[in-house]
Amino acid sequence: MSSNAVDPAAIAAATAEAKRKAEEKTAKDKKECEKFVRNGLNRNVTVQFLYERLMQLGCKPPDNLIRCLDCKDSQRGGGFGAVEEIDVATTGENKQQINKDDSCAQTKKEIDSLLAKQREGGAKLRLVPEIYLCQQHLKNETHAHEAMVHELIHAVDMCRTKMDPIKNCIHLACTEIRAENLSGECHWLRE
């Protein structure tokens, strides 16, 4: 065997080791993110205030409103909402459901497909309140709490105003500006 030959066993071992390390990192990121969420719900006064505000407005958040997800290569800290098809003019066999596993939010292609279906009259869409934090992109607990506040502001806006950011880009722009401003992302120290 020449010195330049590739040993398939060595490649398999290296691949298995890399996969094991990636799975360990994903598990560690998820555990840390879930701790940040628990701490935010139990200790962060702004998160608690927004949660209580949802209740006062009559919008009881589901138990799993805030989830930690593996967002792969997407460079975001988190997000709000999932687009769900609620009424189909045809048989309903092609109904697209919200992805409830640990993958990140819907892709642009999936959302564009649903929007096209709605424009053609074959579907009615709604935005389902759901907050996700991208576990591998959180810098620290403060960053996680800021992301939670930003996304909770979207939830309060949806409850308070019955906005429809799917069909109305002004609603989307308004809630984004409010969330950026009120969550502290527009603080002068960040400029």
Side-chain angles (χ1 to χ4, degrees):
M1 196 173 197
S2 76
S3 62
N4 292 341
V6 178
D7 180 13
I11 292 173
T15 301
E17 179 65 13
K19 184 178 178 183
R20 184 189 64 74
K21 284 184 179 180
E23 288 170 353
E24 282 178 3
K25 182 178 180 342
T26 299
K28 179 182 170 275
D29 288 345
K30 185 168 190 76
K31 184 177 180 179
E32 186 171 64
C33 177
E34 288 172 345
K35 181 182 101 178
F36 293 163
V37 169
R38 274 191 314 276
N39 289 346
L41 293 170
N42 294 324
R43 297 186 203 154
N44 185 295
V45 294
T46 307
V47 170
Q48 291 172 335
F49 170 80
L50 291 167
Y51 234 84
E52 288 169 14
R53 187 70 181 128
L54 282 171
M55 300 288 267
Q56 291 168 356
L57 290 168
C59 298
K60 182 179 182 313
D63 292 336
N64 62 345
L65 176 68
I66 304 173
R67 300 186 312 146
C68 295
L69 302 176
D70 181 358
C71 295
K72 309 289 183 229
D73 295 330
S74 174
Q75 292 302 308
R76 57 187 164 208
F80 176 80
V83 178
E84 180 181 54
E85 188 176 327
I86 58 172
D87 187 24
V88 180
T90 59
T91 61
E93 293 169 8
N94 297 330
K95 186 174 179 181
Q96 292 188 20
Q97 297 289 332
I98 298 170
N99 190 0
K100 290 294 186 191
D101 64 9
D102 282 347
S103 63
C104 202
Q106 293 159 309
T107 65
K108 181 177 181 338
K109 184 177 177 182
E110 290 169 334
I111 293 172
D112 287 345
S113 167
L114 284 169
L115 290 171
K117 206 172 187 182
Q118 177 175 272
R119 279 191 298 275
E120 295 163 2
K124 185 175 179 183
L125 305 178
R126 70 179 179 129
L127 187 64
V128 178
E130 175 181 276
I131 294 171
Y132 63 91
L133 300 179
C134 295
Q135 61 199 29
Q136 73 272 38
H137 299 304
L138 296 174
K139 298 172 192 162
N140 53 39
E141 190 163 348
T142 300
H143 183 223
H145 293 178
E146 287 172 355
M148 289 170 66
V149 168
H150 178 110
E151 305 309 338
L152 281 165
I153 290 168
H154 291 317
V156 168
D157 283 351
M158 260 189 82
C159 179
R160 181 179 61 87
T161 65
K162 308 303 181 213
M163 68 174 195
D164 186 358
I166 295 173
K167 296 178 189 166
N168 190 325
C169 62
I170 293 172
H171 290 180
L172 178 61
C174 182
T175 190
E176 276 303 329
I177 291 166
R178 281 177 41 78
E180 296 266 338
N181 190 28
L182 296 173
S183 68
E185 292 174 74
C186 292
H187 194 277
W188 67 271
L189 288 174
R190 291 187 173 198
E191 296 299 319

